[in-house]
Amino acid sequence: MYENINGAFCFKRLNGTNEFGCTSSRSGNTGVLHIIKNQEDLSWLISDAKASPYVVLLPFDLPNFSDALLQLKDSGKVSGVILTSNRTSYSPDDSCPNRYSGLIDSHCDNKPWNSVGSSLLFVDFGFPIIYIDSDDYPKDIEFLHECFEKHNAHDMERQETRSLCAVELTSYMLAAVDSKTCIRRSTMINNLTPMRYCDPLLGLNIHLPLYPRILESSKAVNELEKPRSVILVVARLDGTSMFDNLVPGAGSPVLGIVTLLSVAHYLSKLVKGLPLQEKNIMFVFYHGETYDYIGSSRMIYDMENDAFPHRLQENVVEQSKLLKMDDVGLVVEIDEILNGEIHYHSLDPVSKFIEALKNELNGMGIKMSGSHGRLPPSSLQRFIKKDKNINGVVLGSYDSQFNNKFYHSIFDTGKNLNFTYFNKTKPDDDSIQMYLGNFSMGLAKALYTTIFDEINLSTNNNYNLPYLIDELLYCYLETPSCEIFENVTFRKLSDSKPYSVYVGVLKNSNITTLTGLTLAWLTGTVVPRNRSTCHNNDGDLVRQYFWMAGNDPDGVCVESFMNYSIAQSPAFEIENYDWTSHEYSTWTESVWQEKMSARVFIKPSKKQEIFTLSMGIFVFGISFLIIYFINAKSDILFNRQV
């Protein structure tokens, strides 16, 4: 009899040179359940256990957890691992994230940005791993402990002599070796059994110009804009973890997403009705940045190949002016922003923009200091690597190391931000909502003074930013069944858990679609169209129209210049690409065909298994002899008198 247990499985990813993650055999891995509570339990399993293979229940809060997991991998006695509990700090990412795809940081090993990084994301375990959340499935964890205590915990030295509590974990991955091999196998022509073994990681970037960059119908834009006149204000959309559909990303990237949405909203209010300027701003959300900067690399690749924001087409009335590398003068990247001092990271001398931002933030009681000579892992690195004439700055609440002790882990949730939802009441003065509101307003005003060449912007209207940020954080951190997401989709959302921010293998993810629609809603214009006419115009590649809730219960039509562009590594499109060059991301995700599952059962002792097998062989032999005898004597046994 089997008892199913629930959880999130680790899966396999590959790059141009290796494979990483977890997999079971095709029929699943089975093993005797063993619970490790301390170092003594671990030592006993590795040195003295005799009933292998084992499926180990390992708590995250075990001291030296990462080392323990690697010891289990190397022991040869483990066929699977079940992870439970919580931690005070844990990151499965590298201590120097994206170390091979950005600028060379010779100091990173001595001064790692991610000080708690364990690099478990880059281990090929060779067996399945499942995480069971004690808040979601407490009964499953309790059942495992009861089964272990009843059947396995006593007389440990003679475990193999009796029936034991065991676990079967099934998470068979089709991909193997590396991305190059996997993609080649997936593209082989085989009409009988077409198979996909892995898929490239991909998604959609989101971009919105502050002023529309229209090629044909507004030549004034072309005449005003000069080289290095576009400021990119960017944030990333994605995070990662070891486990399927369990990537909360509260500190990174959600704080950056919410901050950029707030800045875009506030700045669009400030410039409403004002004339075009020589400088322009483009807000960009990059997808896939966790995996060697997929989104920013693709945007740069398209810019170099006259394809951003789209390729120019003949007989199209309105389309966007191409954005090229020499159009970009400044990149402002928003990283994790938390209460406290803001640090700006730049390779450039102090610029006019930095001075403007420092003045604006100081006026709001936010201190800002600089860190020169090193850049944290950021999209900005890809721009500077391609064009050293581009200036840029990364804004975050950390100096030489991330403050986020759960960077790219399953524990990077709203709990660690001390987030409290105020639900349309004024947030507390010391809340993260109020802090992000002040920071967003200061950044927006600094950008305003940069493009309008004004020394100071005399307005204290915050356009209710803290209230907006409270709602946005609630949507991203608590539940997508929130007012903003339901307004922009014009439908009731029933999901209770926050959406994963993992990039995935599909272009349209929930987080991308909702972020794009929210950006359009916060910056767009309501136009007099009904639901049947609220659609994109033929021959117009610049504007988009969305039917949203707005303030009208029947809905409103919102016009926006927000658009999406593909975020897929050029490595999968360049013919004869060198998969070991590290020029572009080569990450893929394995395909799995069977549903991943975990179940508990009672495994008979080895003696009983041998006895059962022996009896089966004996019965088979006796049956064979009886059939042989009957067949040989059939003329006598079945003789009929006629």
Side-chain angles (χ1 to χ4, degrees):
M1 180 177 178
Y2 291 92
E3 183 74 23
N4 292 323
I5 55 177
N6 301 284
F9 273 91
C10 165
F11 57 99
K12 182 176 287 189
R13 282 172 283 236
L14 310 91
N15 65 13
T17 56
N18 293 287
E19 58 182 324
F20 312 96
C22 314
T23 183
S24 71
S25 65
R26 186 180 292 272
S27 58
N29 286 21
T30 61
V32 174
L33 177 63
H34 183 70
I35 296 179
I36 292 179
K37 300 177 182 178
N38 49 49
Q39 189 64 39
E40 288 73 22
D41 293 336
L42 176 63
S43 299
W44 178 86
L45 176 69
I46 294 174
S47 303
D48 302 322
K50 299 176 181 178
S52 59
Y54 287 89
V55 169
V56 176
L57 192 152
L58 183 69
F60 264 110
D61 55 8
L62 185 76
N64 300 315
F65 161 80
S66 299
D67 292 337
L69 189 57
L70 294 176
Q71 288 181 56
L72 293 175
K73 170 185 176 294
D74 296 334
S75 69
K77 293 185 175 182
V78 174
S79 59
V81 172
I82 302 170
L83 300 179
T84 62
S85 302
N86 209 325
R87 279 189 70 83
T88 55
S89 64
Y90 163 71
S91 171
D93 206 343
D94 189 6
S95 58
C96 304
N98 286 346
R99 69 165 68 218
Y100 300 112
S101 51
L103 300 173
I104 297 176
D105 186 350
S106 58
H107 301 288
C108 191
D109 285 325
N110 296 326
K111 294 182 179 180
W113 291 103
N114 183 23
S115 60
V116 296
S118 63
S119 296
L120 291 178
L121 273 173
F122 306 99
V123 175
D124 180 16
F125 287 98
F127 53 68
I129 300 178
I130 183 175
Y131 169 69
I132 304 178
D133 192 315
S134 56
D135 293 330
D136 292 339
Y137 306 110
K139 291 185 178 180
D140 287 349
I141 297 176
E142 182 181 351
F143 177 77
L144 288 168
H145 279 269
E146 290 177 352
C147 190
F148 173 76
E149 293 295 333
K150 181 177 180 180
H151 298 280
N152 300 8
H154 61 279
D155 197 10
M156 304 285 282
E157 302 302 324
R158 301 178 66 249
Q159 274 189 333
E160 73 277 9
T161 64
R162 65 179 187 274
S163 298
L164 298 169
C165 181
V167 180
E168 178 190 77
L169 301 176
T170 304
S171 61
Y172 178 62
M173 302 286 142
L174 297 182
V177 185
D178 54 41
S179 291
K180 179 181 179 180
T181 303
C182 182
I183 292 294
R184 186 184 70 243
R185 293 177 64 202
S186 297
T187 54
M188 284 182 178
I189 299 176
N190 187 336
N191 294 326
L192 297 178
T193 56
M195 286 285 292
R196 285 187 305 107
Y197 296 92
C198 64
D199 296 301
L201 297 185
L202 63 88
L204 291 173
N205 293 331
I206 305 168
H207 54 87
L208 168 76
L210 183 63
Y211 289 107
R213 306 179 73 252
I214 304 174
L215 181 64
E216 293 296 338
S217 64
S218 181
K219 294 187 181 297
V221 175
N222 298 337
E223 294 169 359
L224 281 173
E225 282 193 2
K226 298 177 181 178
R228 306 297 180 189
S229 62
V230 176
I231 301 172
L232 299 182
V233 185
V234 309
R236 62 189 182 96
L237 274 172
D238 65 301
T240 190
S241 80
M242 290 176 60
F243 301 96
D244 181 40
N245 204 34
L246 198 58
V247 187
S252 179
V254 167
L255 288 178
I257 294 172
V258 170
T259 304
L260 183 51
L261 287 172
S262 304
V263 171
H265 171 66
Y266 189 84
L267 195 53
S268 66
K269 296 286 187 182
L270 291 181
V271 304
K272 188 174 183 179
L274 296 180
L276 302 174
Q277 301 296 307
E278 290 186 0
K279 296 178 182 177
N280 201 349
I281 291 175
M282 181 172 285
F283 304 103
V284 187
F285 293 89
Y286 291 122
H287 218 346
E289 294 300 274
T290 303
Y291 289 94
D292 294 332
Y293 307 117
I294 294 174
S296 56
S297 296
R298 181 52 187 253
M299 178 177 170
I300 293 170
Y301 178 81
D302 287 343
M303 290 165 67
E304 292 179 320
N305 289 275
D306 295 337
F308 185 84
H310 55 75
R311 291 194 179 278
L312 298 182
Q313 301 178 24
E314 295 183 1
N315 303 320
V316 174
V317 178
E318 289 192 312
Q319 47 192 328
S320 297
K321 179 186 177 184
L322 293 176
L323 183 68
K324 298 179 179 293
M325 287 296 291
D326 58 7
D327 292 325
V328 179
L330 175 65
V331 178
V332 179
E333 183 162 354
I334 303 171
D335 204 355
E336 182 175 319
I337 304 295
L338 287 169
N339 296 39
E341 184 177 359
I342 294 295
H343 296 268
Y344 68 90
H345 303 267
S346 176
L347 301 180
D348 311 309
V350 176
S351 65
K352 176 183 175 182
F353 166 74
I354 291 296
E355 287 295 339
L357 179 59
K358 186 178 292 187
N359 290 335
E360 293 292 349
L361 294 182
N362 283 341
M364 297 176 183
I366 299 176
K367 183 181 178 181
M368 188 173 81
S369 60
S371 176
H372 297 285
R374 292 181 70 203
L375 286 178
S378 55
S379 308
L380 174 60
Q381 290 199 24
R382 293 297 300 186
F383 279 90
I384 296 178
K385 186 176 182 180
K386 185 62 66 172
D387 185 348
K388 290 181 170 53
N389 292 317
I390 292 178
N391 295 323
V393 59
V394 180
L395 303 173
S397 296
Y398 54 86
D399 185 10
S400 59
Q401 291 184 337
F402 297 152
N403 292 328
N404 187 354
K405 300 305 180 184
F406 301 98
Y407 184 77
H408 287 166
S409 85
I410 55 178
F411 304 122
D412 189 12
T413 65
K415 293 179 182 178
N416 301 316
L417 303 179
N418 296 319
F419 169 69
T420 300
Y421 179 46
F422 289 91
N423 195 14
K424 297 182 177 60
T425 61
K426 182 183 177 182
D428 294 341
D429 290 340
D430 60 349
S431 66
I432 189 171
Q433 292 92 322
M434 194 65 70
Y435 183 86
L436 290 180
N438 290 334
F439 175 82
S440 299
M441 185 166 65
L443 177 54
K445 291 167 72 174
L447 290 167
Y448 178 95
T449 59
T450 301
I451 62 174
F452 282 89
D453 290 323
E454 293 188 12
I455 298 176
N456 188 32
L457 178 63
S458 56
T459 177
N460 292 316
N461 187 348
N462 66 6
Y463 294 104
N464 296 321
L465 278 185
Y467 295 87
L468 170 65
I469 290 170
D470 186 46
E471 292 296 325
L472 287 172
L473 288 175
Y474 179 69
C475 293
Y476 283 99
L477 298 179
E478 297 292 333
T479 173
S481 302
C482 61
E483 182 177 352
I484 290 179
F485 284 176
E486 290 181 349
N487 279 347
V488 300
T489 57
F490 202 69
R491 62 188 177 92
K492 188 72 175 176
L493 300 175
S494 59
D495 302 277
S496 59
K497 291 281 188 180
Y499 287 135
S500 169
V501 295
Y502 176 62
V503 58
V505 296
L506 301 175
K507 285 196 299 184
N508 277 325
S509 66
N510 289 323
I511 205 73
T512 305
T513 301
L514 289 169
T515 301
L517 291 174
T518 302
L519 180 63
W521 183 64
L522 292 174
T523 60
T525 304
V526 175
V527 294
R529 294 191 179 193
N530 58 37
R531 191 163 192 171
S532 61
T533 59
C534 188
H535 56 74
N536 296 346
N537 300 326
D538 293 336
D540 186 351
L541 301 180
V542 179
R543 300 169 183 82
Q544 289 206 89
Y545 295 88
F546 306 96
W547 190 255
M548 299 180 177
N551 297 321
D552 189 333
D554 296 326
V556 294
C557 186
V558 175
E559 179 188 75
S560 175
F561 296 94
M562 182 280 302
N563 220 316
Y564 301 95
S565 62
I566 189 69
Q568 181 180 9
S569 171
F572 299 99
E573 299 179 10
I574 298 174
E575 189 174 355
N576 299 321
Y577 176 73
D578 181 1
W579 294 83
T580 63
S581 67
H582 301 298
E583 177 64 23
Y584 295 111
S585 172
T586 55
W587 284 96
T588 57
E589 179 185 301
S590 176
V591 172
W592 58 89
Q593 290 184 321
E594 303 295 331
K595 181 180 179 181
M596 293 187 281
S597 64
R599 53 185 186 172
V600 182
F601 64 99
I602 301 301
K603 177 181 179 293
S605 66
K606 286 190 176 181
K607 287 185 178 180
Q608 185 175 348
E609 288 178 334
I610 293 172
F611 175 77
T612 303
L613 176 62
S614 301
M615 286 300 298
I617 295 173
F618 175 76
V619 170
F620 173 77
I622 293 298
S623 301
F624 182 81
L625 291 175
I626 292 174
I627 292 172
Y628 175 80
F629 174 78
I630 292 174
N631 184 61
K633 302 296 183 178
S634 60
D635 56 333
I636 299 174
L637 295 174
F638 303 106
N639 183 35
R640 288 189 176 185
Q641 298 293 331
V642 180

